[in-house]
Every structure is written in structure tokens, then in C-alpha cells.
Amino acid sequence: MCPFCYIGKRKFEDALSRFPDKDKVEVVWKSFQLDPSIKTNLSLSLTEHLAASKGWSIEQTRQIQSQVVNMAAEVGLNFDFDRAVVANSFDAHRFIQLAKTQGLGDAAEEELFRAYFSEGKNTADHETLVQIGIKIGLVEHEIRQVLESDAFASEVQQDIYEARQIGLRGVPHFVFNDRYSFAEWKQTHTPTDHSADSGASCSVDGVCE
């Protein structure tokens, strides 16, 4: 749900495509919630939600969104914030964890990003997740079994715990070989210091910049 994560995905993919040893790189997506308390609310626009949660005016919020839309367009993405649905992401993260068990984590991320930022779909809705899962090759009854239970909740929580252990407070955030951390496009040079630097990101205090 952080726009810079989708933009960052495209930039990372572009960089990886030009890396000579790209075939040796394994990408593993990790779960992280900027605001676990968000409640799905179909009656509230994302613009209204952002304005209220960050203390911005509607006009200021729209200006910032316009800048992000332009950033997305630079990497070939079409963002439509007017259609975006305010939704809690926990079940979507459980869905991603399921997809990861079948080597479909990246496909799940891509489709969820597109659904949220471009297609105005409710990514907290189980039927939406089922249809996305079918599209990427998951089995329908397995998706429903996961969503109707608490399956993969512990995996989501473990990822969030590990993120906190390295001091992660913003996304996008990249960790290479469990040693080198790149937060918001800039490297932090030591394994024990993973603090975020300046850049395009969203943080746990609700600030996107």
C-alpha cells in the first residue's frame, strides 16, 4: 500500500535486468504493515483518509498524489488514487505468504499492487484475493481455506518482528544476503545499523515523502 514500493519494484527490476549474474539472484518478499490498525472503509476515499491521518488539506493531499502519479508514470505505471480503496492489508499479506510457498510471491505482489494502485480493487476482500490467486496459478479451494482460517498469520508476524529487529521504520527496504541493507534507495553500510536514509518512502509514523 506504499506507492514507493510499487515504484521501487519497477526500479529494482530494471536494475536487476542489467545485472550480469541476475540468474543467481533469488528475490524473497517480506511482509510489513505501516499501519496495522487501518480498517477497511469503502465509504472513505484514499484522499480523504490520507488528509485526515496526516493532517493535510484535501488540496495539499491531491498535489502530493499528483507528484506520485508522475513518479509512477516515469517507470511505466498508471496510478489512480481516486479509485483506491482504504483497506487493511493483513489478509493480503497472508495471501502473499501462501503464494510464496508455490514460488508465486512476486506474481502475487505484482497483481496486488496493480489491483490497489491502478484498478481500484478492495485488496482486503476475500473474493478479490481469490480471483487474483486464480489468475497467478493458485488453486481456488486452497486460497479459500487460507483466508477462512488464520493460516500464515504467524509468518506475517514473524516477518514484521524481523523487520523491527533490524530497526526498519520505512519502506521500501532491501536486505541483501542478510547483511547489507538498503533503505529508501541509499545503503546503510553495516549489518547492525539499518536505519533509514532520505528518499522516496513511507514510514511507520504515517509520513510518505
Side-chain angles (χ1 to χ4, degrees):
M1 292 171 61
C2 167
F4 303 115
C5 290
Y6 198 8
I7 294 170
K9 182 177 187 293
R10 280 294 181 273
K11 291 187 175 183
F12 174 75
E13 290 167 344
D14 177 62
L16 184 61
S17 71
R18 292 180 278 112
F19 180 52
D21 292 323
K22 59 181 177 293
D23 294 337
K24 300 178 182 178
V25 177
E26 178 186 6
V27 178
V28 179
W29 287 88
K30 296 288 188 175
S31 295
F32 187 74
Q33 288 186 292
L34 290 168
D35 184 1
S37 68
I38 287 180
K39 295 182 178 180
T40 303
N41 188 342
L42 303 184
S43 66
L44 189 68
S45 73
L46 181 61
T47 302
E48 292 169 333
H49 169 74
L50 289 173
S53 63
K54 300 179 186 300
W56 298 340
S57 68
I58 293 295
E59 181 181 0
Q60 181 184 10
T61 304
R62 290 194 179 280
Q63 289 175 346
I64 293 171
Q65 287 177 326
S66 178
Q67 293 171 358
V68 177
V69 167
N70 291 336
M71 290 176 62
E74 291 176 359
V75 294
L77 298 174
N78 177 33
F79 281 10
D80 189 347
F81 288 117
D82 288 336
R83 299 175 64 193
V85 175
V86 178
N88 186 280
S89 63
F90 193 79
D91 280 349
H93 279 293
R94 293 197 300 120
F95 168 80
I96 294 166
Q97 296 286 347
L98 167 65
K100 284 167 60 178
T101 66
Q102 301 186 34
L104 296 170
D106 192 76
E109 291 282 353
E110 181 66 29
E111 291 302 324
L112 283 168
F113 277 137
R114 180 182 294 112
Y116 182 80
F117 287 108
S118 302
E119 299 174 345
K121 293 181 179 179
N122 178 4
T123 52
D125 176 65
H126 287 185
E127 287 304 316
T128 297
L129 296 175
V130 167
Q131 293 308 310
I132 290 175
I134 293 171
K135 181 177 180 180
I136 65 175
L138 294 175
V139 178
E140 180 176 350
H141 78 268
E142 293 181 355
I143 306 169
R144 294 190 184 278
Q145 286 178 349
V146 167
L147 295 176
E148 292 168 4
S149 69
D150 63 353
F152 295 102
S154 60
E155 285 83 350
V156 174
Q157 296 291 4
Q158 179 63 27
D159 280 354
I160 294 173
Y161 170 78
E162 291 175 0
R164 289 173 178 163
Q165 290 300 106
I166 65 171
L168 190 153
R169 291 188 55 80
V171 288
H173 192 108
F174 301 86
V175 178
F176 293 83
N177 294 336
D178 292 325
R179 293 185 61 193
Y180 300 103
S181 174
F182 289 73
E184 307 165 23
W185 321 120
K186 298 181 70 175
Q187 182 179 6
T188 53
H189 296 282
T190 66
T192 57
D193 179 9
H194 296 266
S195 58
D197 298 305
S198 60
S201 67
C202 290
S203 67
V204 293
D205 59 8
V207 176
C208 288
E209 55 187 7

